[in-house]
Amino acid sequence: EIVPKFSHSVMTLIQGDVGPFKAGQVTKVPLWLAVMFKNGDKCSIETPEWLDLEKLEECREEERESPFFTALPATHIFEISNILLDATSESIRNADQIRSILKDIYDTRQAKLRKSVDMFFQEEYLTAKINHLQQIELSSFRPILPQAFLALTTKCDRSEEHTSELQ
């Protein structure tokens, strides 16, 4: 959401209509448009409720205490917060602390993900349930998964060969 410094009728964009814009009235727009307007000094960007120091501290503690991945307050939280903090850090209270907490949350979750992947392959599980992961977190492990599954398949094939030899 933004608070525009201008008035304008509805804008028709490829992804849909946005507006109308009235100076001083909150309007919902795509993130890329909000940043573009902000960079042109055409608006101020409203800080989302979830980008609050206290809420993020609670989220960090919950993530640290839980052995499982916890639900985060927003989808694409890491990407959106990074864009907002880069574009509007001067208007976000405790921006540096928020950035640090988000990094702590991300690092904690990455460590859990590494541990989960290691356990998955060491214990030779055939399925895994991964709740509450963000797309960016999954993408960091995407490059290693084909190699890991190949190793698991090879290990399973060897195990089957050994079993058939015993019979």
Side-chain angles (χ1 to χ4, degrees):
E1 295 183 337
I2 64 167
V3 178
K5 296 179 181 178
F6 64 95
S7 295
H8 193 280
S9 60
V10 173
M11 294 177 153
T12 302
L13 306 173
I14 291 172
Q15 68 186 65
D17 294 344
V18 292
F21 300 92
K22 293 181 182 161
Q25 247 183 10
V26 175
T27 306
K28 190 170 185 160
V29 299
L31 182 59
W32 66 267
L33 187 59
V35 172
M36 188 179 87
F37 283 159
K38 170 75 171 121
N39 289 341
D41 199 33
K42 301 280 185 208
C43 76
S44 62
I45 299 176
E46 294 287 295
T47 304
E49 288 181 24
W50 54 263
L51 199 56
D52 174 70
L53 182 64
E54 291 162 5
K55 286 183 182 180
L56 291 173
E57 284 175 338
E58 288 173 17
C59 184
R60 177 178 59 186
E61 291 311 310
E62 186 179 335
E63 194 66 51
R64 285 178 175 169
E65 292 171 5
S66 174
F68 305 108
F69 295 98
T70 61
L72 294 175
T75 304
H76 304 292
I77 186 173
F78 301 113
E79 300 95 315
I80 293 170
S81 61
N82 190 42
I83 291 168
L84 289 175
L85 287 165
D86 285 349
T88 64
S89 61
E90 72 283 348
S91 63
I92 297 176
R93 279 188 306 126
N94 305 310
D96 291 335
Q97 288 176 292
I98 288 172
R99 196 180 301 268
S100 176
I101 290 171
L102 285 164
K103 179 159 178 17
D104 289 347
I105 293 169
Y106 183 82
D107 291 345
T108 300
R109 292 171 67 89
Q110 286 295 295
K112 282 183 186 180
L113 188 54
R114 279 191 297 277
K115 183 178 176 184
S116 296
V117 169
D118 287 344
M119 279 181 36
F120 178 79
F121 289 110
Q122 288 174 0
E123 301 294 325
E124 297 181 13
Y125 293 121
L126 297 177
T127 60
K129 190 173 184 178
I130 46 176
N131 293 335
H132 308 300
L133 281 178
Q134 302 275 315
Q135 287 180 357
I136 194 168
E137 294 169 318
L138 288 173
S139 69
S140 68
F141 277 85
R142 192 168 288 143
I144 68 161
L145 288 179
Q147 297 164 356
F149 281 117
L150 180 61
L152 180 62
T153 304
T154 305
K155 191 173 186 179
C156 287
D157 289 345
R158 281 191 211 135
S159 175
E160 286 175 8
E161 287 173 12
H162 181 68
T163 303
S164 63
E165 288 173 5
L166 295 176
Q167 293 175 350

